[in-house]
Amino acid sequence: MIAALLFVAALAADPAPVPPEAATASTPKRPSPVADTDLREFAAIAGRKVVGRAVGGPYANADKVLLIARDDKGYPAVTASMGFPVRQSLPAPPATTLAVIRIHQRYETTIPGPTPDDLAFVAANKLPLFVIGEWARPAPMWEVAWIDDAVRYRAVGDVGEIGPWQD
């Protein structure tokens, strides 16, 4: 009996080491700064389906924001959809978010594309951002990502085909 108590006390004082594969499985994996192909294609289709729909809520001219994560089977899914004030930087999304889609009603830059707020979001969060322009049909789309310690973006076609990275 005393031997059993000593054994239990020894286990409590010095926990068993965790196998390396279990240690890596328990820590959440940080999302990639560049979206996987299936996320890019999902954003191209799901994001453009929202283009032209009205935004409800307190903002008269709101951007639409969609948060993308994987469902329990591993497929991309929209986990949240909301209106967000124009010309305002997005806050950091929940940890499970793998990519964000932001749909602008009108372009704010000289040349249509990601705004300075979009670029700042990616620089701060190192998370892929898809920017869709609601002002044209078909709606233009850009992928903004953190690559080689800099924010870069590229055009994304109707079904996920990509152009070259730009600074």
Side-chain angles (χ1 to χ4, degrees), residues 46-112:
R48 287 188 174 111
K49 283 184 177 181
V50 178
V51 169
R53 293 186 183 171
V55 178
Y59 307 114
N61 289 331
D63 289 342
K64 298 170 193 136
V65 177
L66 306 173
L67 303 182
I68 308 297
R70 294 200 182 273
D71 63 13
D72 57 348
K73 294 181 182 177
Y75 296 111
V78 174
T79 57
S81 174
M82 65 202 84
F84 202 80
V86 177
R87 291 189 217 119
Q88 186 173 339
S89 294
L90 296 173
T96 57
T97 304
L98 298 176
V100 176
I101 302 172
R102 187 170 190 173
I103 303 167
H104 293 290
Q105 289 187 7
R106 49 183 76 90
Y107 60 91
E108 305 284 327
T109 57
T110 307
I111 299 172

Side-chain angles (χ1 to χ4, degrees), residues 23-33 36 70 95-98 127:
T24 57
S26 65
T27 57
K29 183 181 172 191
R30 184 179 176 147
S32 171
D36 295 335
R70 294 200 182 273
T96 57
T97 304
L98 298 176
L127 195 67

